[in-house]
Amino acid sequence: MAGETILTIVGNLTADPELRTTGTGTQVCGFTIASTPRVWNRQANQYEDGQSLFMRCSAWRDLAGHCAQSLSKGMRVIATGQLSQRSYQAQDGTNRTVVEMTVDEIGPSLRYATAQVTKQGGRNGCQGGGTYGNPNGQPPQPPQQTTPPPASDPWANGGSGHTPDMFAADTGDPEF
């Protein structure tokens, strides 16, 4: 939709996500992401923390369940979603305004950690489902090779991208 404010935030979860179900049976997961900028102070010759941002977030439907299963307090995450503002009247009668993010995508940050991903089943082969884009629901299979590749084909040795004699000292890492 046009005119929406899209935000990406990187930070740590302040608590375990809270999974609830609405009266209509829709799942919603609420959590807060804390993000603190760090800047280098040349005079002190050290990093200093800036003012922390605490962004209240909500994820809906299947994403809500995935967040509740996968995320936990202290985990560093990257989240993208729509920023929204709403006003309400508090119990003491004061008017208050909050800014929240409705999460579209979220995942762990792999900068300082690793993750194990498990694909979840979906509905009718839609995005996020377990069909891998194939109507029969199976992961894509490599094409069957009927003739041997020519000797000059650098991709012929199992997809590694180079033949063993192409680099003198092959460490398995790309050269940059």
Side-chain angles (χ1 to χ4, degrees), residues 28-172:
V28 61
C29 186
F31 49 91
T32 301
I33 300 174
S35 180
T36 305
R38 298 191 86 199
V39 294
W40 181 255
N41 183 332
R42 291 182 183 171
Q43 285 84 19
N45 203 28
Q46 66 183 11
Y47 280 102
E48 293 179 353
D49 289 340
Q51 188 171 356
S52 296
L53 167 72
F54 293 88
M55 179 60 63
R56 189 69 190 152
C57 302
S58 60
W60 293 82
R61 298 174 187 77
D62 289 343
L63 181 58
H66 296 167
C67 288
Q69 285 180 329
S70 305
L71 305 177
S72 61
K73 178 181 178 178
M75 185 178 275
R76 189 158 185 85
V77 295
I78 303 168
T80 300
Q82 301 169 22
L83 198 59
S84 62
Q85 175 178 309
R86 66 180 173 87
S87 298
Y88 67 96
Q89 190 170 36
Q91 291 180 349
D92 63 1
T94 60
N95 292 327
R96 298 193 181 173
T97 301
V98 293
V99 177
E100 302 171 313
M101 185 168 91
T102 303
V103 175
D104 293 324
E105 300 281 341
I106 188 167
S109 170
L110 300 181
R111 187 171 191 177
Y112 304 111
T114 61
Q116 183 71 28
V117 177
T118 303
K119 190 168 180 111
Q120 299 294 310
R123 298 184 194 119
N124 302 326
C126 295
Q127 182 178 2
T131 63
Y132 296 91
N134 291 341
N136 63 1
Q138 299 298 316
Q141 300 296 318
Q144 297 295 323
Q145 189 139 7
T146 55
T147 59
S152 63
D153 185 0
W155 302 102
N157 63 340
S160 68
H162 63 273
T163 56
D165 60 348
M166 188 177 282
F167 300 110
D170 185 13
T171 62

